[in-house]
Amino acid sequence: MDKPNALRIAALGGVQEIGKNMYIVQYADDIVVIDCGSKFPDESLLGVDLIVPDVSYLSDHIDKVRALVVTHGHEDHIGGIPYLLKQLQIPVYATKLTLGLIEVKLKEHKLMGSSRLHCIDAGSNLEFESITIAFFQTNHSIPDCLGVVLRTPEGTVVHTGDFKFDMSPVNKQYPDLHRMAEIGKEGVLVLLSESTNAERPGFSASEALVGLQIEEIFKRADRRIFISTFASNVNRIQQIIDAALLHNRKIVLLGRSMVTVVSVSTELGYLKIPDGMLIPPEEAMSQPPERTAVICTGSQGEPMAALARLASSSHRQMAISAEDTVIIAASPIPGNERDVTRVVDNLYALGAHVIYGSQNGLHVSGHGYQDELKLMLTLMKPRYLFPVHGEYRMLHMHRKLAVSVGMDRDRVFIANNGDVLEIKDGHAAIAGKIPAGQILVDGLGIGDIAQIVLRDRKQLSADGILIAVITLSKNDGQLLSEPDIISRGFVYVKDSEALLRPIRRLVESTVDKMKEEKVSKWNVMKTTLKDVLGRYLYAETKRRPMILPIIIEV
């Protein structure tokens, strides 16, 4: 991506995946980064807390990186920012609410003092040597969302951000169709457009419809109400607060992210909560049940989130009683269905009235459906389309939608993370690749989890570990005591003496044999013991525990 006088676009994350969005637009010596998100690991990444984009390309070209522009405040667009700023000190541009949420993260990571944060809005303009940036207002499931317009000598690049066309938004932040049409009339060379709901026909429903359903449930409920939703869905939280106010209920917040988002949104004026309406959990349990409503995290069945702990009766401060009403105001993200179902089953076992799923009108998507994606294409009229924010089938369907509104199929580029779309003299092609892997965050460790570590964790989770402690004489190498066999996650020692007794004899005979063969190097002894014990245990149990010989000389 170093040739001058050519426009280059690449995704470091967010293509053929949902999450960790990060995109690069480069012309000559200017690089602009759009978003820096994170995503949560699947079950194959045992112990990993978070996944963030690999920014080694930016590190190698730090002298050219002018700005990080953030489209909105969801985790898959801001979650990686602290990890980026620990490596690269670049200015960050975002709207007021988005900046507020970013600041919370930077304070946790002790980065506020060294960070350069700039507040922007739909009317802002940024100018660099060869790239100028303007914005336009969109709407989504969180306030203050922007599309990004990058003008370069080669042509204009537009990134939509996450968007829908909600013409009756709860927060009155209407999508600026006139501005989008103007940008399209001026000419768009490349459109980076989200693809999340490219498989769903029609238009997405308005968030206002969810508010009507919530109000109706509040009207019917006789006891305490628990309602779980995404903490970042500020518009929905406001509708819950409005319904609680209408029906004379106090509000309780459960879940760290819920408390954080509500605090930031209230402080910045995006949430209106009357004084005295919020009460702490310990006070709520002494209130009449018909006078409280609890807003909590856990709509995706996360095991440690508030709703899951309430459903398993393990929450320290609150409990769900029979006849309480529980609302899950979200649809399961693909892959989370089993966790959500388990929580729902537990709630029913407690005797609660459970209302969940989009079929009950309690959730609408924040991402545009097919007709909205086609409307964006029609407004922007791009010469080239670079579908982003979606798995392969979504990107493929987005290409079909583009063709249906008149685009040439060969002008739609379905790429992988790291593929470079190069445009020169109006002609575009995939030209080369840059580093674009994923960095695994585990506790305080960033990027230090290798594949071999994950493999070991997987083996431990599947078959456990067997430790053989061997005590040898430093003088002659003789065994000084019977080998000590320790099992964790493999077999229960007290019930498995019939299996462990031959293991001890096998260790003894193997050590004696190596002594006869004058094998004294510990690494050779350990490898031999692992091989011998591994073959024996698989023959006896058809399991492959991790085997860890420990040799002690005295």
Side-chain angles (χ1 to χ4, degrees), residues 80-110:
I81 291 177
Y83 305 97
L84 171 67
L85 295 185
K86 284 178 182 179
Q87 302 175 64
L88 311 173
Q89 291 300 311
I90 60 177
V92 179
Y93 296 85
T95 54
K96 186 167 69 168
L97 177 60
T98 306
L99 271 187
L101 297 173
I102 292 171
E103 286 174 358
V104 171
K105 295 181 175 298
L106 297 182
K107 287 173 184 174
E108 290 176 356
H109 288 262
K110 298 180 172 56

Side-chain angles (χ1 to χ4, degrees), residues 13 23 61-62 79 102 151 172 180 203 244 253 280 301 310 438 468 503 547:
Y23 309 94
H61 298 81
I62 184 58
I102 292 171
R151 295 188 173 92
K172 308 302 181 187
M180 296 179 209
F203 279 86
L253 302 176
L310 287 166
Q438 56 186 26
I503 292 176
I547 298 168

